[in-house]
Amino acid sequence: MISEAEQFEKIPCIAYENSSEACRVLAVEVSSLIRERQASNKHAVLGLATGSTPVPFYRELIRLHKEEGLSFQNVITFNLDEYFGLEPEHRESYYRFMREQLFDHIDLPDSQINIPPGTVSREQVFQACRYYETKIEEAGGIDLQILGIGRTGHIGFNEPGSAEDSPTRMITLDKVTREDAARDFLGIDNVPRFALTMGVGTIIRARRIALMAWGENKADIVSKAVEDEVTDAISASFLQHHDNAQFLLDSGAASSLTRKRHPWLVGTVDWSDALIRRAVTWLSRELDKPVLKLLDEDYNEHGMSDLLTECGPAYQLNIRIFNELQHTISGWPGGKPDEDDRHRPERALPFPKRALIFAPEPSDELRALGGTIERLVEQGHTVDVVFLTSGNLGVGDSAAERFAEVLKELADVQGAEDWNTPVSYAGQLLDHLAAKGPFGEDNAALRSIKSLVRRSEARHALRACGLAEKHIHFLDLPFYETGRYRRFKPDDNDVSALCGILTKLEPHQIYMTGSASDPSSVAGVCYRLFQTAMTQTAKEAWQRDCWTWLYRSGEKPFASYEIDMAVPMSPGQLKAKLTALSQYTQEDESTGKRERAVAQYYDQLGLADYEAIEAFRLWKS
Ligand code: F6R
């Protein structure tokens, strides 16, 4: 039965602590279904998804097969979708994905695997899709459909505009969906424009539906699909019409549900300090009124009269929260020496501090804390930037090609015999580039030149912030060097490398990101490794006096109530940061926008009106 807190959720949602726990629960459900059917000599029919979301779930199924003897001999599978035009052996085809992530590791007979055929001709598409539907029917329909959700709210590849009764068909992929796939395909131009997908109607006929979502980047679309009206603009919202659908979420993906975001609207709450700050800033934004102008009736009319009873009247509560917010602002991210630090986000001592900035990929450090780095350096602290991965997967072929060509031509200009090795190296690279084409896998030499491209960008960018070369470190974590986007397999070697740099640098202050990211993303993997490394080094003396500040780079920015330290920037400082960032050729358009948006939040709450703000949250391990 639905609880008071869940009253706005029109699809049952379970918020798990993390994705592993959710996957374990779902895998148990699947194994019970399979075993139940085995006992009565019947098939279990599963609808399967691809993408990064189900990867940990498939790993759990493989574990159940290998360690607990779960057999898939009686299972029939139907995949949701396939890119149109990709050969099954293409490295990004869903056929290959399924083989690598699941089918090659279990005992499912090939004849029981069904994936929409991406290679049929355009003329054959319609019949092929109808045949797919017929096959599902012949199998007795889908018992359990596994789903992920795209940022457009798609299920399968049912992009906005898909009808509730849509069948399996060919679809044009949305721009957002193609952008999300761009890194897997090494550039947006390589991402197919069309796909074959089961329709919403096909999906909704499954007897049971389990949709998984991880990370804060999915939080807003999840809450819209679950709590807002059903609309064809968000195909996942059609699941509200299914009587046995469920969303399995990690804490990040659940964070925009009303019960998590505004719990006071759906029941009584224990008013912790954090919740009070959240409620007051929410009210201020909701009413578009500065905090100091909120009235008793504003609180009463928005379900917060109990808050007033505990902490009111409004006037007093407003001042309290205003001061709290005011105290998050500091131009001294390393702490201000010789000053009373009781109301400052960072402690004054020790001074100077050793600050360690972890960047999962080059450019994270500058995008999120370029201004802060400059201040730390200027204010006399020692700043070390540690790039956790080389970021080579984000460098396009053309950049590598340019460097290889320059190397080769330089040798021609010089005409020296000593150039033989670099020339042949550059020649091999150019040959490989020509042979592999846009979809082919990069060989080690190509990945390495791409890493060097990023390294030189990173060095130049950080030099512009006043950082000396000896304080720039490239860790090249092995999980990344040997892995592919969103399918990384980190292990102890990665953790040891992190422990090693922590022990060597003995920081007083760490900056890290990834806490809210999809666990399969580079930042998400790095964050988990960082947590483990901090646990493993917990007994080392430096940890007794070390604070960690979380920052957001690619992910959803912090909400105003989540910010513990706000480092303001003048127009000049923002400009300097953008100039430093321009050293990165891969820079995205959002740069500068986020910092300006945070400054606007603060302004709307009635605080000073800065040009931009870099925001941090204190990490509690
Ligand atoms: C995959 C599929 C898509 C994905 C969705 C989320 O077969 O149909 O709906 O589930 O795009 O993708 P990830 O999991 O990569 O975030």
Side-chain angles (χ1 to χ4, degrees):
M1 206 177 25
I2 196 162
S3 71
E4 186 186 8
E6 295 158 30
Q7 60 186 282
F8 292 132
E9 294 162 28
K10 297 172 206 151
I11 304 170
C13 291
I14 307 188
Y16 294 92
E17 188 71 21
N18 52 48
S19 53
S20 321
E21 210 185 307
C23 291
R24 262 196 304 277
V25 174
L26 188 56
V28 167
E29 180 179 338
V30 169
S31 68
S32 311
L33 170 73
I34 296 175
R35 288 196 163 113
E36 212 175 88
R37 293 296 164 86
Q38 270 160 6
S40 51
N41 231 349
K42 289 193 179 128
H43 281 117
V45 183
L46 301 180
L48 299 180
T50 54
S52 56
T53 308
V55 169
F57 165 68
Y58 292 148
R59 286 186 190 153
E60 182 58 15
L61 287 185
I62 295 168
R63 193 194 67 74
L64 288 176
H65 170 68
K66 296 208 162 131
E67 293 174 19
E68 298 185 20
L70 176 66
S71 168
F72 290 78
Q73 290 281 344
N74 69 322
V75 174
I76 300 177
T77 64
F78 286 92
N79 262 83
L80 281 166
D81 37 24
E82 178 59 287
Y83 290 110
F84 180 65
L86 289 201
E87 292 294 330
E89 284 318 315
H90 186 288
R91 65 197 285 271
E92 289 304 328
S93 82
Y94 283 168
Y95 174 85
R96 187 154 159 197
F97 174 97
M98 288 309 299
R99 294 228 80 94
E100 288 173 1
Q101 299 301 322
L102 182 65
F103 298 155
D104 283 352
H105 313 281
I106 57 176
D107 62 343
L108 175 68
D110 277 356
S111 58
Q112 286 157 220
I113 294 172
N114 298 281
I115 299 181
T119 45
V120 290
S121 70
R122 180 67 193 86
E123 296 69 43
Q124 292 168 323
V125 166
F126 179 69
Q127 290 307 339
C129 291
R130 286 184 61 149
Y131 181 59
Y132 203 66
E133 294 270 341
T134 312
K135 276 191 108 176
I136 296 175
E137 268 168 47
E138 282 171 5
I142 292 172
D143 291 308
L144 170 59
Q145 175 66 56
I146 304 295
L147 295 177
I149 181 169
R151 278 198 301 144
T152 58
H154 69 211
I155 46 176
F157 272 140
N158 291 283
E159 299 291 18
S162 298
E164 184 165 9
D165 59 356
S166 51
T168 301
R169 69 202 186 288
M170 178 146 138
I171 188 134
T172 307
L173 295 174
D174 191 274
K175 183 167 169 278
V176 176
T177 303
R178 293 186 66 237
E179 277 166 11
D180 284 348
R183 288 197 129 193
D184 304 323
F185 281 89
L186 303 168
I188 187 137
D189 295 340
N190 302 333
V191 183
R193 289 177 189 277
F194 305 99
L196 302 191
T197 181
M198 276 189 201
V200 179
T202 328
I203 293 171
I204 231 157
R205 275 197 296 279
R207 286 182 275 280
R208 157 111 173 112
I209 296 178
L211 182 148
M212 297 179 276
W214 323 132
E216 272 195 17
N217 273 354
K218 297 275 172 80
D220 289 349
I221 197 69
V222 162
S223 77
K224 282 186 189 143
V226 168
E227 297 192 349
D228 290 359
E229 294 304 307
V230 174
T231 162
D232 68 4
I234 299 175
S235 59
S237 70
F238 288 124
L239 300 177
Q240 291 183 21
H241 293 157
H242 196 281
D243 59 9
N244 194 9
Q246 191 178 45
F247 278 30
L248 292 93
L249 311 171
D250 68 355
S251 54
S255 62
S256 290
L257 295 174
T258 303
R259 66 171 136 137
K260 298 283 179 191
R261 188 134 104 171
H262 311 127
W264 56 89
L265 297 178
V266 284
T268 46
V269 290
D270 285 335
W271 286 106
S272 65
D273 288 347
L275 202 57
I276 295 173
R277 200 200 298 182
R278 185 194 298 197
V280 176
T281 52
W282 172 79
L283 189 61
S284 158
R285 285 178 62 85
E286 185 79 4
L287 300 178
D288 199 12
K289 263 188 186 184
V291 169
L292 290 175
K293 289 193 180 168
L294 294 172
L295 304 171
D296 287 284
E297 43 273 41
D298 293 332
Y299 285 95
N300 289 331
E301 283 162 17
H302 289 83
M304 292 186 222
S305 34
D306 58 330
L307 175 60
L308 279 191
T309 318
E310 263 182 58
C311 315
Y315 164 75
Q316 217 167 307
L317 179 57
N318 296 346
I319 292 189
R320 168 178 158 189
I321 298 305
F322 179 85
N323 284 338
E324 268 184 30
L325 292 166
Q326 180 67 33
H327 294 153
T328 62
I329 303 174
S330 174
W332 296 80
K336 191 166 186 184
D338 307 325
E339 286 271 336
D340 177 358
D341 61 6
R342 271 172 304 170
H343 296 308
R344 290 182 174 277
E346 229 330 329
R347 63 223 194 275
L349 297 175
F351 179 83
K353 289 190 174 61
R354 287 187 298 273
L356 191 174
I357 293 156
F358 281 124
E361 288 184 86
S363 93
D364 284 333
E365 80 297 354
L366 272 197
R367 259 194 287 166
L369 62 160
T372 304
I373 295 177
E374 260 195 287
R375 295 226 183 188
L376 288 167
V377 172
E378 213 177 271
Q379 290 164 3
H381 304 283
T382 307
V383 179
D384 283 276
V385 175
V386 176
F387 294 103
L388 294 172
T389 70
S390 65
N392 62 36
L393 295 170
V395 178
D397 286 352
S398 65
E401 193 173 31
R402 244 187 4 243
F403 280 83
E405 276 172 10
V406 168
L407 194 59
K408 212 165 161 235
E409 280 166 25
L410 186 66
D412 290 344
V413 174
Q414 299 286 320
E417 294 78 52
D418 325 347
W419 278 90
N420 277 341
T421 318
V423 170
S424 64
Y425 184 68
Q428 281 165 30
L429 273 172
L430 292 170
D431 290 347
H432 172 63
L433 274 164
K436 88 177 181 82
F439 293 141
E441 204 124 5
D442 294 2
N443 67 10
L446 184 54
R447 281 185 78 150
S448 119
I449 198 163
K450 287 182 172 179
S451 299
L452 295 177
V453 169
R454 295 229 87 178
R455 275 191 186 204
S456 89
E457 290 175 353
R459 272 196 221 102
H460 275 81
L462 285 177
R463 242 181 251 152
C465 297
L467 213 66
E469 185 107 10
K470 65 175 182 191
H471 292 298
I472 306 172
H473 314 263
F474 297 93
L475 224 51
D476 289 351
L477 287 180
F479 85 84
Y480 184 94
E481 291 312 307
T482 52
R484 294 205 11 226
Y485 268 122
R486 306 198 282 180
R487 299 176 210 168
F488 298 116
K489 287 194 178 150
D491 63 23
D492 289 349
N493 294 321
D494 300 293
V495 178
S496 313
L498 267 168
C499 290
I501 196 88
L502 285 165
T503 307
K504 181 171 154 208
L505 297 176
E506 301 191 316
H508 298 114
Q509 216 192 22
I510 298 174
Y511 292 85
M512 181 57 189
T513 189
S515 59
S517 304
D518 175 340
S520 66
S521 65
V522 177
V525 172
C526 286
Y527 177 72
R528 278 154 191 81
L529 289 168
F530 166 74
Q531 281 180 308
T532 315
M534 288 298 275
T535 310
Q536 289 193 7
T537 52
K539 294 221 163 65
E540 295 183 12
W542 59 270
Q543 275 226 27
R544 263 179 257 136
D545 193 17
C546 177
W547 288 16
T548 295
W549 292 98
L550 295 176
Y551 65 90
R552 293 279 165 90
S553 176
E555 332 94 308
K556 197 175 159 198
F558 289 120
S560 52
Y561 59 81
E562 292 176 305
I563 297 171
D564 293 316
M565 177 159 72
V567 180
M569 301 174 81
S570 67
Q573 284 164 329
L574 183 62
K575 192 157 174 249
K577 161 170 164 165
L578 297 181
T579 309
L581 256 167
S582 64
Q583 299 292 337
Y584 284 110
T585 46
Q586 295 277 314
E587 212 21 62
D588 64 61
E589 299 149 6
S590 67
T591 309
K593 286 195 190 137
R594 294 163 153 258
E595 303 87 314
R596 284 201 177 95
V598 181
Q600 270 163 18
Y601 282 163
Y602 268 60
D603 181 28
Q604 282 161 8
L605 294 170
L607 295 137
D609 182 7
Y610 294 103
E611 175 71 7
I613 286 180
E614 290 180 344
F616 304 94
R617 184 170 175 74
L618 196 58
W619 183 62
K620 310 219 167 50
S621 51

